[in-house]
Amino acid sequence: MTVEVPVPGAAAVHTSRPATARVGMVGGGQLARMTHAAAIDLGIDLYVLAVHPDEPATLAGAITRLGSPDDLEALRAFAVEVDVVTLDHELVSDEGLAALAASGHPVRPSAAALLYAKDKLHARTELAALGLPVPPFAPVDTVEDVTAFATQHGWPVVCKATRGGYDGRGVEVVHDPEVAAAVLARGGRWMVEAHVDIAVEVAVVTARRPGGEHVTYPVVETVQQDGQLVELVQPARIAPEVAERAIALGTRVAEAVDGVGIVAVELFVGPDGAITLNELALRPHNSGHATIEAATTSQFHNHLRAVLDWPLGATSLRAPAAALVNLLGPEGPDRIAERLPAALAVSEAAVHLYGKASRPGRKIGHVTVLGEDAEVALARAREVADLLVGPGGRSTRSET
Ligand SMILES: Nc1ncnc2c1ncn2[C@@H]1O[C@H](COP(=O)(O)OP(=O)(O)OP(=O)(O)O)[C@@H](O)[C@H]1O
Ligand SMILES: [Mg+2]
């Protein structure tokens, strides 16, 4: 766009702003905030549809339209302002996604792809039908259904809300019918699956263009506590042969769901090296956050490049090892701002704060450290996390 600005008494001053891509992201959380930082690098205007004016991306200066992801009118109006719509969360209704698609602007990933991230039962059913390795699972309506499944596969079982779960909410390891009854009584649709014997959890993060061209990052080793990712190491400390199979499976899943943008596939690796699929995300994912410092191209840059159908950036790592520790809101007062200078004194640590109010257990930022050695980097990242969220946060990052 070119704007002529007349200046009295002088020749016209010619100010110009180059034409720029406009990407719309539904949701203004930390993923949108970090995508905004990448958008700045690429001269892209990131628009976010945020519910509140104090969401992380809005606070960071993303162009904000206020509206609920449930409001079909707001979604339609948002879509027409941008070249392509993408999402920072899966909590857009099926009708909402249809409304976005009806705007005539590309929605990437598509509603069909997104369903794999929104609905765990759909994902399990479809990926099992392709012969991909998912744990035994079944939809359940009653305690009898859970008991019948457990009779076949053994207790404990894992009850999962088919929709709406995140950070371990809606995932319950259930040891007996009484607890199963209490879980089902919460309402909503549930499924049950066999409790997998997990040696290590890993994630495969792929960026995929509409035509299927893709790049994949080295496998990430993740540690969850109470179902929530608390720390990670990249590359994962697993045998190269296991890593190869993980990459092959992750990219196969990304292709099967026809994802566009970042596709993060969570995997369980058993003690014998067998790999089982957990869930997938069709957006930048916590397991990819270390790529900001650790990779040639971050997952946020590659997400933007992929949804715009631009060439993807290299995924090679810049250091032998990267470690990341999530900052979870501590019990008691939030003293992060006051503690930040002390944490920054650890000069090799990269601190990311999301601008979110602290609540106990809430993800409010992360710390990344690169190094020669994963253990050393992880110890350093934990140390900095402790400096920021205090010893209260320490118990949530027990020695793993
Ligand atoms: N079948 C299973 N067997 C053993 N552990 C499991 C099983 N399913 C899930 N878990 C554990 O629970 C964690 C959370 O499960 P899942 O990823 O399905 O939930 P979520 O709340 O949607 O997570 P996210 O925060 O990644 O969105 C897993 O990372 C794993 O540690
Ligand atoms: Mg998960």
Side-chain angles (χ1 to χ4, degrees):
M1 187 186 6
T2 302
V3 186
E4 300 282 346
V5 182
V7 176
V13 175
H14 187 79
T15 63
S16 70
R17 180 160 189 243
T20 188
R22 291 159 305 169
V23 174
M25 197 169 233
V26 177
Q30 66 259 26
L31 301 176
R33 181 180 174 106
M34 290 182 270
T35 304
H36 177 55
I40 291 171
D41 288 342
L42 296 171
I44 293 168
D45 281 347
L46 187 77
Y47 289 62
V48 299
L49 183 67
V51 178
H52 301 290
D54 61 354
E55 289 187 30
T58 301
L59 293 178
I63 301 165
T64 298
R65 302 292 178 248
L66 288 178
S68 160
D70 300 326
D71 178 345
L72 304 190
E73 258 328 298
L75 287 169
R76 274 190 213 107
F78 183 66
V80 298
E81 283 199 271
V82 296
D83 303 323
V84 55
V85 179
T86 186
L87 301 102
D88 109 322
H89 59 66
E90 289 93 25
L91 307 175
V92 182
S93 66
D94 298 344
E95 301 73 41
L97 291 169
L100 286 175
S103 74
H105 292 256
V107 181
R108 293 173 178 157
S110 69
L114 208 62
L115 197 53
Y116 284 83
K118 282 175 73 172
D119 190 317
K120 290 180 175 173
L121 181 57
H122 172 78
R124 287 277 186 254
T125 307
E126 295 298 316
L127 297 174
L130 292 174
L132 298 175
V134 302
F137 70 97
V140 286
D141 293 315
T142 63
V143 175
E144 289 70 36
D145 295 339
V146 178
T147 308
F149 183 89
T151 306
Q152 205 183 343
H153 299 282
W155 296 99
V157 294
V158 184
C159 288
K160 293 188 169 182
T162 61
R163 288 184 173 217
Y166 68 99
D167 285 351
R169 294 177 182 87
V171 175
E172 298 292 341
V173 178
V174 170
H175 290 264
D176 56 58
E178 287 70 43
V179 177
V183 168
L184 296 190
R186 290 187 209 157
R189 287 214 67 197
W190 289 84
M191 58 183 277
V192 66
E193 61 186 41
H195 187 267
V196 178
D197 187 7
I198 304 169
V200 57
E201 294 193 48
V202 299
V204 172
V205 179
T206 293
R208 200 165 175 277
R209 287 175 71 172
E213 188 192 320
H214 63 273
V215 292
T216 302
Y217 292 92
V219 180
V220 185
E221 175 183 336
T222 63
V223 176
Q224 352 286 314
Q225 215 156 60
D226 301 327
Q228 188 176 15
L229 192 154
V230 287
E231 53 190 34
L232 64 83
V233 165
Q234 189 174 23
R237 293 164 290 182
I238 52 177
E241 175 272 326
V242 178
E244 249 170 60
R245 280 190 287 117
I247 298 267
L249 181 56
T251 50
R252 170 87 183 83
V253 169
E255 183 193 5
V257 308
D258 198 15
V260 174
I262 293 292
V263 183
V265 181
E266 301 176 3
L267 304 171
F268 301 143
V269 182
D272 55 357
I275 300 179
T276 314
L277 276 171
N278 185 27
E279 56 166 359
L280 60 149
L282 287 134
R283 50 167 170 74
H285 189 252
N286 198 161
S287 62
H289 288 359
T291 62
I292 296 174
E293 287 83 15
T296 305
T297 315
S298 83
Q299 65 162 347
F300 300 100
H301 289 83
N302 264 336
H303 185 73
L304 289 167
R305 291 157 75 136
V307 300
L308 286 162
D309 202 10
W310 290 353
L312 301 171
T315 52
S316 47
L317 298 183
R318 296 174 183 278
L324 177 149
V325 173
N326 273 345
L327 298 172
L328 304 180
E331 302 286 341
D334 170 11
R335 295 171 58 202
I336 283 211
E338 158 196 339
R339 290 172 159 173
L340 184 57
L344 296 179
V346 181
S347 60
E348 73 266 38
V351 175
H352 295 259
L353 299 177
Y354 304 152
K356 283 163 79 172
S358 175
R359 286 201 292 270
R362 189 185 200 200
K363 272 183 218 168
I364 52 176
H366 71 261
V367 177
T368 303
V369 175
L370 307 187
E372 294 297 315
D373 177 88
E375 257 98 277
V376 174
L378 189 53
R380 210 73 172 132
R382 284 178 182 161
E383 188 189 309
V384 175
D386 284 354
L387 288 169
L388 288 164
V389 289
R394 184 98 186 107
S395 60
T396 57
R397 291 186 306 281
S398 52
E399 322 314 316
T400 39

